[in-house]
Amino acid sequence: MSSVAVLTQESFNEHRSGLQPEQVKAAAAGPSGAEDEDSLPTYKDAFPPLPEKPLPEGVQETGNAWTSKIKPLKSSLITQVFHVPLEERKYKDINQFGEGDQAKVCLDIMHKTGAHLELSMAKDQGLSIMVSGKHDAVMKARKEIVSRLQTQASATVAIPKEHHRFVIGKSGEKLQELELKTATKIQIPRPEDPSNLIKISGTKEGLEKAKHEILLISAEQDKRAVERMNIEKVYHPFITGAYNKLVGELMQETGARINVPPPSVNKTEIVITGEKEQVALAIAKIKKIYEEKKKNATTIAVEVKKSQHKYVIGPKGNTLQEILDRTGVSVEIPPLDSSSETVILRGEPDRLGQALTEVYAINFTANSYTVSSVSAPSWLHRFIIGKKGQNLAKITQQMPKVHIEFTEGEDKITLEGPTKDVQIVHGQIEVIVTDLISRMDYTEISVDPKFHRHLIGKGGANINRIKELHKVSVRIPPDNEKSNLIRIEGDPQGVQEAKKELLELASRMENERTKDMIIEQRFHRAIIGQKGEKIKEVRDKFPEVIINFPDPTQKSDIVQLRGPRNEVEKCTKFMQKIVAEMVENSFSVSVPIFKQFHKNIIGKGGANIKKIREETNTKIDLPAENSNSEMIVITGKKANCEAAKNRILAIQKELVRVYLFCISVRDDNVVEDFMIVDPKHHRFFVLRRGQVLREIADEYGGVMVSFPRTGTQSDKVTLKGAKDCVEAAKKRILELIEDLVSRCNSLQCINAILISDSSINSATFLFYSAPSADAPVQENGEANGEVKEPADPLVPKKCDVIVLSGRKERCEAAVEALKALVPVTIAVEVPFELHRYIIGQKGSGIRKMMDEFEVNIQVPAHELQSDIISISGLASHLDRAKEGLLERVKELQAEQEDRALRSFKLIITVDPKYHPKIIGRKGAIITQIRNQHEVNIQFPEKNDENQDQITITGYEQNALAARDAIQTIVGDLEEMISEDITLDSRVHARIIGARGKGIRKIMDEFKVDVRFPPSGAADPNLVTVTGRPEQVDEAIDHLLNLEEEYLSDVVENEAKMAYMKPSGSTASSMEEPRGPSKGFVVREAPWASGNEKAPDMSSSEEFPSFGAPVTNARSSPWGPKRF
């Protein structure tokens, strides 16, 4: 453990009180010219020697100043071990170590604090807990361990009630720190509780530590004193002085804090806090001032009209402070609720005359002022003021001395100022009122408050639309007023129209109903549909009904419908019908089918399963091939599912019957038969590893068909199996042979068709081949020899001829199918300038169309400048492709027209000084204008000639609207004023706040811009406030109040700092000219032993640069060189 000594104000007092007067004077005077030599550091202390060679093994190195001053790097993770004795353990069941409640508590502590805990049990059954982690986490874990794993003791400690707040600390930080440090729980009685006992609970060790720390805090506070003095209120101004100067000087001089109640608070008690000596000194000085003024001061009473008292007081009491500052006389004004008009002047007799003269001068000036009122209905007040005070600003600019006051709820306007000016303003306002009454109207409607928010709409959308449409003002009372009345003001016709619309909305809302439907959440996605397509259809069908689905994470089944009662009912029935269909179609049944029969259920190319799905209108899912499951799942309507199930089971039943029959026959009725098959057909049956034979075996109960080996020229084929199966297999083989014979011997079946595009070189038809150019054409199964190339160009080439062979009807079908595959080309006229848009970026557009319509689209080369685009493909696809291409052309032409409309450009002229305000902080304002009006707004570059031009691009009406928005901002900015005020630079940082948070709040609240002087400014106290006149005044008042509040803290802190480090020494050191510097002086240096001089720091030889050559001219005072 290392201890740190902290110099506090108290310890500094004790230190100073123990010094001799000479020492105090010497300390105050600062360091003298002749320094005490003993205070100088020695050479070895200042420049500790480096070790010249490593120490031999086994010799321990002694620490020196170089190594001792280097602080080792510490890990951010720490480990501490806590021991809980057996008698203090909360859980003592040895058999449950590592489990049970104790283990759960440890896991919970680790989860809460983020520290890692390891438990072990000592021989004495005590519990050792090793805690690892960051320091804060370990401290928190320690507190949790003590409170949850260790039995708790409790104790109380009594300290004075007024010391409790010092134990708690600011925002409870001190108390939290104390609890963590001592691993205890400390309970302090509430302020209204008279008890002074603090309760501590925790371990015995923790209790002692906590008690000790609390008593230390109390002992520290005992050194401080709080005194209260009752001094008559009338003498307070003499103690505070003008602008609180005198009390500030007293606090700085004594070091105590003096709190004098402000004039508005009717208290006589002055509170002084600080060290006992400081408080005693402050009390003595205050008593001296009080007794002196009480003895010497006299009073004069003056009668001043009650209405003129405010002129004597002045703005924020400044006039009273000025009189006190100039004359030393206090002016006492009777309170506002008093009917007295007597003003009392109190002060030295020789100063009263001057003060009285000043009061009379103020009274004389006030007599030239008059108060008048203009009758005006209260609802017209805001129209008289105008938008953002524009109307009133015109009057006040002409007559700045007239004060115009509007009182809410009163049908009058109060004017105050010079008589002539008031008369002029009175006439102007009367004209405005008469004009407004003649062309303005108002009405009130009653609407249930529960509908008010719906009338306002989301973000005020509804009410703003009504205001803009009818050019009226609508006042909807806030929720806390609980009022039904909505007030509409404006043009008479607009008022009536707005009233009608609002009443219609209210009536519709009264007829509105909200209904909750219970729909299982599993159906929500299906009802909404992909990308909301299905629910959009429902909303289009019932546009007046709002349908809200719950968030998927809420796991709620409630779907809310809101709208007109009848529409909600219709929508509810429609939704119920959809849900009923879904429930009906979601019936599911699982059918167990032997795995080996799944391929038979599917059928060749999925034919069987597809047929069942289509005919039963169900969804049938089969398990994957590599799955062990035998279940086939059928989903759909119950009746359909049952039909599909029966059909699948019927297939399985038939397969099982055949399988069992074949097995029984195989066991009881196996026969062997043979048939004659021409050897030229053998190859067809044994090709592809005997696939045809395998299919016959699978289809006819596992009949074994054996063909003779190749080269034997035998025509005998052997069949072995059940008798019925053998007969069926023989019949099937004969059918296949008949097909082969028919294909090879029928001359009429050979058909050749001309393919105009030789790129088609394959087809998927039975018995189809595409011969090469040199291959001879076979006729009747034999080659006719070489066929000479025809000389006639109309005769097709051999490579363009396809020969088909097979049954006649199949060949004819294949011919038709091939003819349908012959590509056709059509030409479509498309304007040349649109070609690049049809092609798209890197050909993406044209590729998409080709993939979508399954055609080839050829766009002419750019240099041809042709409007013709060729489309090639199947005839059935061409019409659709052409329609798609022409539709795309229409879209592009519409986009061109829209692009032309969007390219409308408008240039407006705005003074460059307003550009930053239009742009806004981080571009917020200009981005809002751009997004709201969907335009592009370009400000001039720095090097542009026309710095005052702003370019707006977009639709014409949008550009004009954006221009109006910018001009409105400029108009507001032109009405703004800038005022400079003086704020003490010492409070700037407090006003600005952390990261500017404080000043941003002020600027947002008062809608002004506040600029503080940069560092190094000529006047560091000058602050500029910019905004509308009335907002600037309010902001300045607020800033001055903050300055007054913060300055008292600054003065107090400076007084403390001055006490800790007396300003006299600093001031004197700055005033006295400095002598030549002695440099850094040490004792017992190597050069002090001989007659050598100290090293010359300006010498490059004694202090060479790195890498520079060194001349060994003479021996150095540093000792012999070792290079």
Side-chain angles (χ1 to χ4, degrees):
M1 293 290 289
S2 61
S3 61
V4 179
V6 180
L7 181 63
T8 63
Q9 192 168 336
E10 293 81 359
S11 59
F12 186 79
N13 290 337
E14 292 172 9
H15 170 69
R16 284 177 64 88
S17 63
L19 295 175
Q20 296 298 326
E22 296 81 7
Q23 290 174 308
V24 174
K25 287 178 184 177
S32 62
E35 272 188 328
D36 186 4
E37 196 176 81
D38 292 338
S39 64
L40 296 175
T42 64
Y43 179 78
K44 285 187 177 181
D45 290 338
F47 304 99
L50 292 169
E52 294 191 2
K53 59 182 179 179
L55 295 173
E57 291 183 8
V59 179
Q60 188 176 358
E61 183 181 356
T62 58
N64 57 43
W66 294 97
T67 57
S68 62
K69 290 181 183 179
I70 299 174
K71 294 181 180 179
L73 293 174
K74 292 184 179 179
S75 169
S76 61
L77 300 177
I78 64 168
T79 301
Q80 290 190 8
V81 179
F82 307 110
H83 186 71
V84 182
L86 176 63
E87 60 274 10
E88 292 184 13
R89 280 180 57 186
K90 193 175 278 188
Y91 305 100
K92 298 182 181 180
D93 191 348
I94 299 168
N95 297 326
Q96 285 195 339
F97 182 74
E99 56 186 52
D101 293 338
Q102 183 171 271
K104 289 177 184 176
V105 168
C106 291
L107 286 172
D108 188 46
I109 292 170
M110 286 195 286
H111 179 70
K112 274 186 181 178
T113 63
H116 178 70
L117 273 63
E118 290 185 16
L119 276 69
S120 60
M121 193 178 292
K123 290 181 180 179
D124 60 356
Q125 305 304 323
L127 198 63
S128 293
I129 306 166
M130 185 168 71
V131 186
S132 304
K134 292 188 176 180
H135 184 269
D136 290 344
V138 170
M139 290 295 102
K140 288 176 183 176
R142 176 192 176 191
K143 183 182 173 185
E144 291 284 331
I145 289 166
V146 168
S147 63
R148 298 176 66 180
L149 293 180
Q150 207 165 349
T151 54
Q152 301 291 295
S154 62
T156 56
V157 58
I159 62 171
K161 185 77 176 175
E162 57 268 21
H163 295 175
H164 286 193
R165 63 191 182 93
F166 298 102
V167 178
I168 296 169
K170 187 179 180 181
S171 302
E173 290 176 1
K174 183 69 177 176
L175 183 62
Q176 289 176 8
E177 182 189 344
L178 203 57
E179 287 183 334
L180 279 176
K181 186 177 177 182
T182 60
T184 57
K185 178 69 178 174
I186 302 171
Q187 294 177 342
I188 297 175
R190 298 184 65 80
E192 59 270 16
D193 188 346
S195 173
N196 63 352
L197 292 176
I198 295 175
K199 186 179 178 182
I200 311 166
S201 56
T203 62
K204 292 178 182 178
E205 182 185 358
L207 291 178
E208 294 301 322
K209 286 183 182 178
K211 283 173 70 175
H212 176 70
E213 292 290 339
I214 291 169
L215 290 171
L216 276 179
I217 293 169
S218 180
E220 188 178 338
Q221 295 307 316
D222 279 335
K223 296 177 184 176
R224 299 182 64 81
V226 178
E227 292 290 340
R228 289 173 172 80
M229 296 180 67
N230 279 310
I231 291 179
E232 295 170 61
K233 187 78 177 173
V234 294
Y235 293 104
H236 285 191
F238 301 109
I239 295 167
T240 59
Y243 304 106
N244 291 322
K245 287 180 183 176
L246 185 55
V247 76
E249 290 171 4
L250 282 173
M251 287 195 287
Q252 190 168 359
E253 185 180 345
T254 62
R257 182 168 183 172
I258 303 168
N259 185 11
V260 181
S264 57
V265 178
N266 192 21
K267 283 186 178 180
T268 60
E269 188 179 70
I270 297 175
V271 181
I272 305 107
T273 58
E275 299 294 325
K276 291 180 180 178
E277 294 176 3
Q278 298 169 344
V279 170
L281 181 60
I283 288 172
K285 287 183 177 292
I286 291 169
K287 278 184 179 178
K288 184 180 178 183
I289 294 169
Y290 167 62
E291 288 168 359
E292 184 181 334
K293 290 297 176 185
K294 192 171 182 180
K295 180 181 177 183
N296 299 329
T298 58
T299 60
I300 294 178
V302 184
E303 294 296 321
V304 178
K305 288 182 182 179
K306 191 76 176 176
S307 60
Q308 294 173 0
H309 284 187
K310 60 183 175 183
Y311 300 110
V312 178
I313 297 169
K316 295 185 181 177
N318 280 344
T319 306
L320 293 178
Q321 296 295 325
E322 287 172 6
I323 295 171
L324 180 62
D325 190 28
R326 285 196 292 265
T327 65
V329 174
S330 167
V331 180
E332 299 165 16
I333 307 291
L336 290 174
D337 53 0
S338 170
S339 59
S340 172
E341 295 185 341
T342 305
V343 175
I344 298 172
L345 282 69
R346 189 183 304 273
E348 302 286 338
D350 56 340
R351 298 292 189 92
L352 286 174
Q354 184 185 349
L356 185 61
T357 303
E358 292 198 15
V359 171
Y360 277 137
I362 294 166
N363 191 30
F364 177 76
T365 307
N367 283 329
S368 64
Y369 278 63
T370 186
V371 177
S372 176
S373 63
V374 182
S375 295
S378 59
W379 66 272
L380 282 178
H381 286 185
R382 62 188 197 82
F383 297 104
I384 296 168
I385 295 167
K387 188 178 180 182
K388 298 182 179 178
Q390 289 176 351
N391 297 345
L392 211 58
K394 293 175 184 175
I395 298 173
T396 53
Q397 284 170 7
Q398 294 171 355
M399 302 292 174
K401 293 182 180 179
V402 178
H403 175 70
I404 305 172
E405 185 177 343
F406 294 83
T407 307
E408 189 176 353
E410 291 187 8
D411 294 336
K412 68 175 183 177
I413 301 168
T414 305
L415 311 176
E416 185 178 351
T419 306
K420 288 183 180 179
D421 292 356
V422 166
Q423 289 172 354
I424 295 169
V425 173
H426 190 283
Q428 290 177 342
I429 291 178
E430 276 188 337
V431 171
I432 294 171
V433 171
T434 306
D435 176 59
L436 288 172
I437 289 173
S438 66
R439 61 184 178 85
M440 299 286 285
D441 193 9
Y442 80 94
T443 187
E444 291 180 341
I445 59 174
S446 180
V447 177
D448 195 320
K450 69 182 178 182
F451 299 132
H452 287 183
R453 63 188 184 92
H454 300 298
L455 290 178
I456 295 169
K458 189 174 182 181
N462 289 349
I463 204 68
N464 288 337
R465 180 186 59 78
I466 293 170
K467 286 178 182 178
E468 290 294 326
L469 182 64
H470 303 297
K471 307 298 180 188
V472 295
S473 168
V474 183
R475 184 190 180 276
I476 297 177
D479 294 339
N480 56 359
E481 284 189 18
K482 305 293 183 186
S483 173
N484 293 354
L485 291 178
I486 295 176
R487 189 182 182 93
I488 310 168
E489 301 167 353
D491 178 73
Q493 185 180 351
V495 167
Q496 294 305 317
E497 290 174 354
K499 175 183 176 181
K500 182 181 177 184
E501 186 171 347
L502 284 169
L503 287 173
E504 284 177 0
L505 280 172
S507 174
R508 199 182 308 160
M509 286 170 192
E510 285 174 0
N511 188 39
E512 199 174 68
R513 183 185 174 190
T514 300
K515 186 171 184 178
D516 291 339
M517 284 187 68
I518 306 298
I519 301 175
E520 289 183 61
Q521 195 181 33
R522 62 192 176 107
F523 295 130
H524 289 187
R525 284 185 65 186
I527 295 170
I528 294 168
Q530 191 174 8
K531 296 182 180 178
E533 292 174 357
K534 292 187 178 179
I535 197 63
K536 186 177 182 297
E537 293 174 6
V538 179
R539 285 173 175 152
D540 291 343
K541 190 176 179 69
F542 304 98
E544 295 183 39
V545 179
I546 298 169
I547 305 170
N548 291 321
F549 284 86
D551 191 280
T553 57
Q554 293 178 357
K555 305 293 183 186
S556 174
D557 294 337
I558 298 174
V559 177
Q560 191 179 74
L561 281 67
R562 182 164 59 85
R565 188 182 302 274
N566 295 335
E567 290 297 305
V568 167
E569 290 300 328
K570 290 177 185 177
C571 185
T572 302
K573 290 178 182 177
F574 185 77
M575 294 274 285
Q576 285 171 343
K577 186 179 176 183
I578 292 173
V579 173
E581 287 179 3
M582 285 184 174
V583 171
E584 188 179 1
N585 290 331
S586 64
F587 180 79
S588 180
V589 63
S590 297
V591 186
I593 300 294
F594 294 117
K595 191 75 175 178
Q596 61 267 36
F597 295 150
H598 283 196
K599 62 181 180 179
N600 304 91
I601 301 293
I602 295 169
K604 192 170 184 179
N608 291 350
I609 198 73
K610 185 177 180 183
K611 186 178 180 182
I612 296 171
R613 283 171 177 159
E614 289 175 354
E615 291 180 358
T616 61
N617 193 24
T618 55
K619 179 185 175 185
I620 303 174
D621 295 318
L622 287 89
E625 286 185 15
N626 55 359
S627 169
N628 294 326
S629 174
E630 295 184 339
M631 288 295 179
I632 295 177
V633 180
I634 309 168
T635 308
K637 291 184 179 180
K638 186 174 182 181
N640 295 348
C641 288
E642 291 296 333
K645 175 184 175 183
N646 292 335
R647 291 184 62 168
I648 290 171
L649 288 173
I651 293 172
Q652 177 178 247
K653 187 176 180 182
E654 180 63 24
L655 290 169
V656 170
R657 188 187 65 77
V658 172
Y659 184 74
L660 293 174
F661 172 75
C662 291
I663 290 174
S664 63
V665 170
R666 189 179 299 163
D667 294 339
D668 303 328
N669 190 24
V670 176
V671 298
E672 188 173 335
D673 200 355
F674 66 91
M675 62 184 296
I676 303 301
V677 177
D678 194 324
K680 66 181 180 181
H681 301 312
H682 289 192
R683 189 166 175 268
F684 169 76
F685 289 97
V686 298
L687 276 175
R688 288 172 293 174
R689 298 183 182 179
Q691 183 178 344
V692 177
L693 296 179
R694 287 201 303 274
E695 290 175 358
I696 292 171
D698 290 342
E699 193 171 350
Y700 300 103
V703 172
M704 294 178 63
V705 183
S706 301
F707 277 78
R709 291 185 179 179
T710 307
T712 58
Q713 296 300 319
S714 172
D715 57 1
K716 185 178 179 181
V717 176
T718 305
L719 295 88
K720 186 177 181 181
K723 187 176 180 181
D724 293 344
C725 294
V726 167
E727 290 300 324
K730 282 171 72 176
K731 186 178 178 182
R732 177 60 180 155
I733 290 170
L734 289 172
E735 286 176 2
L736 292 172
I737 292 169
E738 186 181 350
D739 284 344
L740 291 170
V741 170
S742 173
R743 181 182 63 178
C744 295
N745 295 304
S746 177
L747 182 61
Q748 290 81 3
C749 293
I750 300 173
N751 293 281
I753 63 170
L754 179 64
I755 301 299
S756 59
D757 188 350
S758 61
S759 64
I760 297 180
N761 56 17
S762 64
T764 57
F765 297 99
L766 215 54
F767 312 121
Y768 159 78
S769 64
S772 64
D774 299 330
V777 178
Q778 290 186 355
E779 190 175 323
N780 293 330
E782 295 179 2
N784 293 332
E786 292 186 2
V787 179
K788 293 182 180 179
E789 287 287 340
D792 190 353
L794 297 176
V795 177
K797 295 179 182 179
K798 290 182 181 179
C799 62
D800 291 335
V801 175
I802 295 177
V803 178
L804 295 91
S805 59
R807 288 178 179 269
K808 183 177 180 180
E809 61 274 11
R810 293 186 181 178
C811 288
E812 288 173 353
V815 167
E816 293 301 321
L818 282 170
K819 282 181 179 178
L821 291 174
V822 176
V824 182
T825 301
I826 61 171
V828 182
E829 188 173 350
V830 176
F832 173 73
E833 62 270 14
L834 298 180
H835 287 191
R836 62 194 183 98
Y837 300 110
I838 289 170
I839 293 169
Q841 190 175 12
K842 295 182 180 179
S844 59
I846 203 164
R847 277 200 305 274
K848 183 181 177 184
M849 292 178 70
M850 289 194 291
D851 293 342
E852 183 179 352
F853 302 117
E854 299 178 13
V855 295
N856 181 44
I857 301 175
Q858 190 70 33
V859 179
H862 185 270
E863 56 270 13
L864 297 178
Q865 301 284 310
S866 173
D867 291 341
I868 303 301
I869 291 179
S870 300
I871 306 176
S872 303
L874 302 181
S876 59
H877 296 168
L878 289 180
D879 291 341
R880 202 161 56 90
K882 183 179 179 181
E883 287 177 11
L885 181 59
L886 292 175
E887 189 66 33
R888 177 64 179 150
V889 169
K890 285 181 184 177
E891 288 178 9
L892 292 171
Q893 288 173 340
E895 286 177 9
Q896 276 188 330
E897 292 174 6
D898 186 63
R899 200 177 298 116
L901 291 172
R902 278 206 313 268
S903 60
F904 176 80
K905 187 176 286 187
L906 183 65
I907 297 174
I908 60 174
T909 303
V910 176
D911 194 324
K913 69 181 181 181
Y914 297 133
H915 289 189
K917 295 291 182 184
I918 296 169
I919 293 168
R921 190 167 180 263
K922 295 183 179 180
I925 297 173
I926 200 65
T927 302
Q928 184 182 358
I929 296 173
R930 283 174 178 150
N931 295 340
Q932 184 178 352
H933 301 289
E934 297 178 352
V935 294
N936 181 36
I937 303 174
Q938 194 68 35
F939 286 82
E941 299 289 339
K942 287 185 179 179
N943 51 359
D944 282 358
E945 293 180 3
N946 301 318
Q947 285 293 310
D948 58 349
Q949 290 187 353
I950 297 175
T951 306
I952 307 171
T953 309
Y955 294 113
E956 184 175 359
Q957 64 271 25
N958 292 2
L960 293 172
R963 178 200 64 187
D964 295 342
I966 291 173
Q967 287 178 344
T968 302
I969 294 171
V970 173
D972 292 343
L973 293 171
E974 286 174 347
E975 292 176 3
M976 289 184 178
I977 62 167
S978 291
E979 283 196 23
D980 294 336
I981 59 170
T982 301
L983 285 183
D984 196 307
S985 59
R986 293 174 293 177
V987 302
H988 287 189
R990 284 282 299 276
I991 293 173
I992 293 168
R995 298 182 180 177
K997 188 176 179 182
I999 197 63
R1000 276 202 302 275
K1001 184 179 178 183
I1002 293 170
M1003 291 194 290
D1004 292 343
E1005 183 180 348
F1006 295 99
K1007 302 293 187 294
V1008 295
D1009 183 59
V1010 183
R1011 297 289 172 189
F1012 288 86
S1015 57
D1019 186 356
N1021 301 325
L1022 193 66
V1023 176
T1024 304
V1025 185
T1026 306
R1028 298 192 62 79
E1030 62 278 8
Q1031 293 165 340
V1032 167
D1033 291 341
E1034 291 175 5
I1036 288 173
D1037 289 345
H1038 183 70
L1039 289 169
L1040 291 172
N1041 288 337
L1042 288 178
E1043 180 196 29
E1044 186 178 347
E1045 179 185 341
Y1046 295 156
L1047 203 54
S1048 62
D1049 294 341
V1050 171
V1051 170
E1052 181 184 348
N1053 291 336
E1054 285 182 352
K1056 286 183 179 179
M1057 293 303 293
Y1059 185 79
M1060 296 296 291
K1061 185 178 181 180
S1063 56
S1065 61
T1066 308
S1068 63
S1069 63
M1070 290 178 70
E1071 290 169 6
E1072 291 177 7
R1074 291 185 178 180
S1077 174
K1078 292 184 178 182
F1080 184 69
V1081 182
V1082 294
R1083 294 182 292 115
E1084 302 176 12
W1087 55 82
S1089 56
N1091 295 324
E1092 297 175 353
K1093 294 182 179 178
D1096 183 6
M1097 294 181 68
S1098 62
S1099 168
S1100 59
E1101 181 183 340
E1102 296 183 358
F1103 292 91
S1105 300
F1106 285 108
V1110 180
T1111 57
N1112 200 4
R1114 59 187 177 84
S1115 61
S1116 169
W1118 301 92
K1121 294 187 172 81
R1122 291 171 290 179
F1123 295 110

